Amino acid sequence: MIVVPGSSNRLFAFKLSKQINAKYVETEISEFPDGEVHIKIPRDVKKEDVVVVQSLAVRPNDYLMEFLIICDALRGKGCNNICAVLPYMAYARQDNEFTPGEAISLLGVSRIIQEFCDEVITVDLHLHRYNRITELFRKGKNVSAMPLLGSYLARFNLDNPMVIGPDRESAQWAKQISAIFGNDYQVFTKMRHSPEDVSIRGEIDVRNRDVIVCDDIISTGGTMSEIIKVLKKGGAKRVIAACTHALLAGNAVTRIYGSGAEDLVGTDTVPSEITRVSAVPAVAEVFL
Ligand code: R5P
């Protein structure tokens, strides 16, 4: 088996190759003057099982195109099975026609990806209106980085910590982290008014407790900062914000710290300034 990276997250691909005992094959990726991508796989891949690793975050459209061309080139060169490891799957939040006329991008993008590979592995895929990854791909597996995040957070010596999620959908993640502490978890109700603006409803007693707020994605930081304000007002002591995918659009980091977070922790599914935990072991387990 060989591991072939796109340019979005080479370190993730490299670490994965080590953990699953596969050969890491570096790709040469550059841009033509007109903006088109140029890709070279400088090795024979005939009859090899290939794992292509690409995080579709930050520049989703560019990285998607790289991914498709890499897969197509591998097929053309006679490889065997192509397993796509997409630590962050783009467009997963556009899973519905929220206002009339909108494209359900998740469906279109999944269909395109499926045409180019045989199976897909994702991490904490934003499964809200679709419950299973196999509703999107013929063959797929979604793993979670939450136990790894939870183990990391256990080092913080938190006082009787409660784990909180922003909405009903986040209960699955809050539950996994709270299991590490053997403590309780609860979720708020979230209303989204615009891509940057949300409001939070719910009464959760956090007086004199440390709190971990967890979510799959932090994008603009609007969700986290609104929750942290509510928690601080409600008497929470230390508040730690944690997520798998730190997209960190605009001023998300200062927005979250500015609302009263003591710390902000993310994983390497999307490399960022808050990457503290590697999700590679969760993906590696699928191959072992
Ligand atoms: C949405 O349902 C997700 O789980 C996250 O809560 C959302 O993507 C966070 O976005 P933002 O940081 O922009 O509030």
Side-chain angles (χ1 to χ4, degrees), residues 93 126 128 167 190 192 195 215-223:
R93 287 175 295 170
H126 187 84
H128 281 196
D167 48 22
K190 175 169 91 174
R192 182 165 287 287
D215 209 352
D216 56 340
I217 301 169
I218 295 177
S219 180
T220 66
T223 302

